[in-house]
Amino acid sequence: MRAVTWQGKRDVRVENVPDPRIEEPTDAVIRITSTGLCGSDLHLYEVLTPFMTPGDILGHEPMGIVEEVGPGVPDLAVGDRVVVPFQIACGNCWMCLNSLPTQCETTQVTGEGMGAALFGYTRLYGAVPGGQAEYLRVPQAQFGPIKVPEGPPDDRFLYLSDVLPTAWQAVAYAGVPEGGSLAVLGLGPIGDMACRVAQVRGAGRVFGVDLVPDRLRRAEARGVQTYDLRAFDNEKELVAAIRDETDGRGPDAVIDAVGTEAHGSVAARLAQQASAMLPRKLSGPLAERFSVDRLAALHTAIELVRRGGTLSLVGVYGGMADPLPMLTMFDKQLQIRMGQANVRRWADEILPYLSDEDPLGVDDFATHRLSLDEAPQAYEMFQHKRDGAVKIVMRP
């Protein structure tokens, strides 16, 4: 089959690889009909290279048709249309039964000290072949895949794999009071969708911050009050502008949808780039112990949120040596929630919004639809934010 493989920093290729097969009774094999390119994939393209191995198959936002099922998968049948969550979870352990499938005790990558295995996401999360391919082996298929109806286009349901539950959890963790205010830092796919989710969940005012004009225009068209980071000389001016709109206090909650590759943070950016250029035998151990994030967005979130407010961190962070302003965080009495989205925890709440009325705008959420063979161009376009690329969907 054809699949998108990682070969090195900023080097992805579409190659012929062996077809997946049933290996365990709880496996299924899916023929992919659509697969998303996620901002998290760009971290593998640029920053998390010490944890990658040439030939790794990328991608964690797939959907398709069931081609084969193992004997331990009673609720799936050949021909079912399914969305595959990005994490692999059993549904039966203590963590899964307590709505934390990203901490699944059956698939935890204990050798790396990490949570549940993820599709297409480094050896830290199991080095499981991902979904940017023609076919996908799905472990723990007795729990993971979400069956969706025939009829509507793939885009109606594809984002259940990651974007929708990640944005939904970010808003739920933010705990915005009815009619309250929320600021979202970063208007990429997750931040954009988080704004939409907050609106349908009753937020009174939603502020969005970014520096990419296409992203700002998309959010503004849906009623978000946007702020172009480039229009301010420094963080304090941005914070003051939003505080002026919230009675001088700041928003009730702030979502950081940027993560480790925030604009600014020059020293951290140079450290990340230096680590990625080292030989893999050196870069891996160094990254595990001394990696740092670009914390500009997180520092802005801490400064911006009102006292007693909530920070919801949904952008991916991976640093082990990050300095944080603990005095400010403690003094402001902040609540902080974070983590990978627990997809199956939220799927049933989200499905009613995926109707013909399309309140979340999923049908036209993608800005680009490309073939799988165009994946190298897609990664480059998305990395450099060219041609209005906000969300790219690929089809084998």
Side-chain angles (χ1 to χ4, degrees):
M1 70 171 183
R2 303 284 283 167
V4 181
T5 64
W6 185 92
Q7 298 297 335
K9 182 176 180 179
R10 301 183 194 140
D11 183 3
V12 301
R13 306 174 195 172
V14 181
E15 298 187 321
N16 289 312
V17 301
D19 290 351
R21 57 184 178 84
I22 299 292
E23 299 178 17
E24 300 290 341
T26 52
D27 286 352
V29 173
I30 309 298
R31 175 174 57 83
I32 302 299
T33 56
S34 292
T35 184
L37 175 53
C38 179
S40 298
D41 292 323
L42 294 184
H43 299 323
L44 311 182
Y45 192 66
E46 182 78 25
V47 173
L48 298 180
T49 57
F51 305 112
M52 299 294 288
T53 302
D56 283 348
I57 299 175
L58 301 173
H60 58 269
E61 296 185 352
M63 71 174 291
I65 306 299
V66 176
E67 292 282 301
E68 188 178 0
V69 295
V73 186
D75 296 327
L76 281 187
V78 172
D80 282 346
R81 188 187 194 196
V82 296
V83 177
V84 181
F86 69 88
Q87 77 262 165
I88 301 167
C90 72
N92 295 312
C93 69
W94 189 92
M95 289 290 180
C96 287
L97 293 174
N98 283 275
S99 300
L100 290 167
T102 54
Q103 310 302 327
C104 175
E105 292 170 323
T106 300
T107 73
Q108 275 180 15
V109 187
T110 54
E112 300 287 351
M114 306 300 280
L118 308 179
F119 287 104
Y121 216 78
T122 83
R123 65 173 173 80
L124 296 179
Y125 289 101
V128 181
Q132 290 172 6
E134 292 181 305
Y135 293 90
L136 176 69
R137 170 180 167 254
V138 182
Q140 304 296 331
Q142 80 287 351
F143 175 68
I146 303 166
K147 287 194 279 191
V148 296
E150 297 292 338
D154 279 6
D155 287 36
R156 180 74 57 87
F157 304 111
L158 174 63
Y159 308 115
L160 279 170
S161 59
D162 182 354
V163 174
L164 278 167
T166 297
W168 197 273
Q169 179 171 295
V171 175
Y173 279 9
V176 184
E178 184 72 26
S181 56
L182 170 71
V184 178
L185 306 183
L187 297 173
I190 301 301
D192 185 339
M193 186 58 74
C195 291
R196 303 179 188 204
V197 170
Q199 289 168 329
V200 302
R201 286 175 61 103
R205 300 187 72 181
V206 179
F207 308 100
V209 180
D210 207 295
L211 46 69
V212 180
D214 294 307
R215 294 179 175 185
L216 291 161
R217 282 193 292 268
R218 269 171 62 103
E220 188 172 7
R222 297 190 66 90
V224 176
Q225 187 168 332
T226 59
Y227 293 82
D228 188 337
L229 192 59
R230 299 169 303 170
F232 299 92
D233 290 333
N234 52 55
E235 169 206 88
K236 292 188 180 300
E237 287 187 4
L238 169 67
V239 168
I242 299 178
R243 278 183 179 163
D244 285 346
E245 299 291 328
T246 54
D247 298 323
R249 287 189 293 270
D252 297 307
V254 176
I255 293 174
D256 172 2
V258 179
T260 185
E261 293 190 76
H263 181 74
S265 307
V266 175
R269 175 174 57 82
L270 292 174
Q272 289 174 344
Q273 291 174 342
S275 175
M277 294 173 66
L278 290 171
R280 291 179 63 249
K281 287 184 179 180
L282 295 176
S283 62
L286 283 173
E288 288 177 28
R289 293 170 176 80
F290 304 111
S291 56
V292 295
D293 293 296
R294 306 182 205 176
L295 296 174
L298 178 54
H299 283 287
T300 298
I302 292 167
E303 181 69 18
L304 176 59
V305 69
R306 68 163 170 81
R307 290 178 176 272
T310 302
L311 299 182
S312 177
L313 309 186
V314 66
V316 173
Y317 284 99
M320 295 294 288
D322 290 335
L324 293 174
M326 294 301 297
L327 173 62
T328 301
M329 295 159 68
F330 182 83
D331 180 65
K332 291 187 73 172
Q333 205 169 335
L334 303 183
Q335 301 179 72
I336 303 176
R337 300 194 70 181
M338 67 187 82
Q340 304 277 11
N342 299 290
V343 176
R344 292 304 303 262
R345 161 68 179 84
W346 308 108
D348 289 344
E349 290 185 22
I350 297 169
L351 275 166
Y353 291 89
L354 305 183
S355 61
D356 288 341
E357 289 73 28
D358 195 18
L360 295 172
V362 294
D363 286 348
D364 60 359
F365 189 69
T367 55
H368 292 72
R369 295 174 179 83
L370 304 174
S371 72
L372 192 70
D373 284 332
E374 296 175 284
Q377 299 95 306
Y379 271 81
E380 185 179 8
M381 181 198 310
F382 196 24
Q383 173 75 358
H384 294 287
K385 301 176 179 65
R386 290 203 309 259
D387 301 327
V390 178
K391 185 62 182 179
I392 298 174
V393 173
M394 295 180 288
R395 296 199 168 97

